[in-house]
Amino acid sequence: MKKLLTLALVLALLASASSAFALTIGFSQIGQESDWRTANTDDIRTKIPLEGWELIYDDAQQKQENQIKALRSFISQGVDYILFTGVVTTGWDEVLKEVNEAEIPLFLLDRIPEPSTLEKIEYVAAYGGDFIEEGRRMAWWTVNYLEKLGRSEEEVNVVILEGTTGSDAATQRTQGIEEVLAKFPNVKIAAKQSGNFSRAEAQPVMESWLKSLDKIDVVLAENDDMGLGAIDVIKAAGKVPGKDIIIVGCDSPKAAFDAIIAGEMNATIECNPLYADAIIPMIKALEAGETFSREIVHPEEGAFDAEGGVPYTEDGSKLTVKAADAIDERKY
Ligand code: AHR
């Protein structure tokens, strides 16, 4: 009898604890492939509970089927909001319609489904970086740096370590890079292949290029983790990263700053992962019955290299900041 009473008391306490949250928010995250992803996850998982809201987090381990299961589980748990980052752009119509039918407000974060899906579903915001512009910036930095080195007339071979196949972050960064490099006939894209935004998965790709290509002058890594993977392999092959081969990454976590300061990476273009301070006011606005624009670009302005002062936009108006001067302020 005493045991039964204790069990009843524990259940009552649990029930009152679960109803203590003003809101319950489901967050379907794609995985933990990069420093960027870790920072994005930690930021949301830390700051949402500070509002007194419950966050139900699901790590999909890069698998679309896991994300579909997570979204359906959020529906059956009756969450108040869903935060969703899709690993790829296609294949979401059915499950996102189910989210709509359940009338759960949907935030699309970072990776945004393809336009044909967006036409069919309701969402409160599509909030992420401008991947095409990030790719352009990687390419503009590269051609301007080559000019600074006096190599603008030279035949230059570039390889592109692409992100996850089928993700907008990868296809759009490649699009931005190719759009700019097409203006420079001396700069040739010798190869491009996915390293899945992962340091470990970029390594065999770089290894095979070092064996199969006669000359690699520049690695454009669509995130810094893959750039760091390329650096590991270049060093193991007896070459000097940052000098024999120029390495340009994207994201700008502290690890990239360290590599730039060590002279092994040449530049990183910012893609900022800290979303919580933008999403929380949007949720509060919705709770207050207010509206806001649905398509919002997350601010990201910076690019960083060893000395600073290199232009990384077409009009030349934005100049890199010296990584050593900025590293102490970096939050991720
Ligand atoms: O979608 C954003 C990209 O995904 C980041 O650049 C990369 O590091 C991450 O894994």
Side-chain angles (χ1 to χ4, degrees), residues 10-22 52 54:
V10 169
L11 289 175
L13 280 174
L14 282 175
S16 71
S18 66
S19 62
F21 296 107
E54 181 183 24

Side-chain angles (χ1 to χ4, degrees), residues 33-34 36-37 110-111 131 169 173 197 222-223 251 271:
E33 73 284 3
S34 63
W36 189 100
R37 190 65 52 200
D110 170 37
R111 309 261 181 100
F131 298 134
R173 282 180 187 154
F197 284 129
E222 291 181 357
N223 79 351
D251 285 352
C271 173

Side-chain angles (χ1 to χ4, degrees), residues 30 32-37 62 85-86 109-111 131 134 164 167-170 173 196-198 222-225 250-251 271 275:
I30 64 178
Q32 301 171 46
E33 73 284 3
S34 63
D35 282 3
W36 189 100
R37 190 65 52 200
Q62 311 293 325
T85 299
L109 300 183
D110 170 37
R111 309 261 181 100
F131 298 134
E134 289 160 5
T164 301
S167 71
D168 50 346
R173 282 180 187 154
N196 207 16
F197 284 129
S198 140
E222 291 181 357
N223 79 351
D224 290 313
D225 299 72
C250 186
D251 285 352
C271 173
Y275 281 15

Side-chain angles (χ1 to χ4, degrees), residues 240-259:
V240 183
K243 295 199 172 58
D244 295 341
I245 300 179
I246 294 168
I247 317 281
V248 183
C250 186
D251 285 352
S252 308
K254 275 195 173 132
F257 283 58
D258 288 337

Side-chain angles (χ1 to χ4, degrees), residues 42-69:
D42 290 351
D43 184 52
I44 292 171
R45 290 186 82 181
T46 307
K47 290 184 182 153
I48 293 264
L50 294 179
E51 299 296 323
W53 304 338
E54 181 183 24
L55 188 82
I56 306 175
Y57 172 72
D58 186 87
D59 173 345
Q61 320 251 335
Q62 311 293 325
K63 292 199 172 78
Q64 184 168 40
E65 62 267 30
N66 290 348
Q67 294 207 271
I68 292 172
K69 270 189 217 146

